[in-house]
Amino acid sequence: MIDRVFKLRLSVVLLMMLSFFLFGLTVQQNRTEQGLYFVSLEFTGAQVKVGKNSMKLFIGDRKTKAPLKDKLDIEIVPWMPSHEHGMTGQANVKEIGKGVYLVEGVNLSMPGSWEIYVRINKGKKGEDTAVFNINVK
């Protein structure tokens, strides 16, 4: 019985991994560079594309991953290292609640490897940055 449950769970995990690979869904988790925060980034839509994209951010405590209750000042800075440029315009960040933020207008102008810098400022606790690598198709 235990073997059957293990095989079923393994099949589900493998199927999820395969779907992320095939459909290009982008969900990443990372700690900030100074270790102040835990950040999860999820692009909405089937894949990250050339043009305007939207994403959700979750920002939590670095140890417990519990949502931060205080409103944070967040800036999104996309950067394409191979061409040494960012995006035109500025993304709109809106707090949804419980550590979740909706980011709209992430304008990625060409396919290739991009870095998404999530700069977080929380007053006395300080400023920190999480970096996510994504591939635009």
Side-chain angles (χ1 to χ4, degrees):
M1 178 70 172
I2 294 174
D3 188 44
R4 180 180 279 168
V5 171
F6 175 76
K7 287 180 182 177
L8 179 62
R9 287 184 180 171
L10 181 61
S11 298
V12 169
V13 169
L14 290 174
L15 184 60
M16 288 174 59
M17 290 173 61
L18 181 61
S19 67
F20 281 101
F21 176 75
L22 290 175
F23 299 112
L25 298 175
T26 303
V27 178
Q28 295 183 30
Q29 298 176 349
N30 204 352
R31 287 200 174 156
T32 54
E33 292 174 344
Q34 296 179 39
L36 297 176
Y37 309 102
F38 167 81
V39 182
S40 174
L41 173 146
E42 176 183 1
F43 275 89
T44 55
Q47 67 183 11
V48 183
K49 64 186 184 324
V50 172
K52 291 192 177 181
N53 293 271
S54 297
M55 62 184 181
K56 285 185 184 176
L57 291 175
F58 169 79
I59 301 174
D61 180 79
R62 68 183 171 128
K63 292 180 183 176
T64 65
K65 298 181 183 172
L68 296 178
K69 296 178 183 177
D70 300 333
K71 185 175 180 177
L72 303 170
D73 181 21
I74 298 171
E75 180 184 14
I76 306 300
V77 181
W79 182 254
M80 189 174 206
S82 62
H83 290 253
E84 298 183 354
H85 67 78
M87 75 171 195
T88 57
Q90 189 172 12
N92 182 29
V93 181
K94 179 182 176 184
E95 181 183 21
I96 295 175
K98 296 185 180 179
V100 179
Y101 294 80
L102 177 63
V103 182
E104 296 179 311
V106 180
N107 191 11
L108 306 171
S109 59
M110 60 179 50
S113 295
W114 286 77
E115 295 172 340
I116 304 293
Y117 290 80
V118 179
R119 292 189 183 144
I120 305 164
N121 189 350
K122 187 184 174 191
K124 292 179 183 177
K125 190 167 182 180
E127 185 175 306
D128 208 348
T129 303
V131 182
F132 297 91
N133 295 307
I134 61 165
N135 188 33
V136 177
K137 300 194 181 224

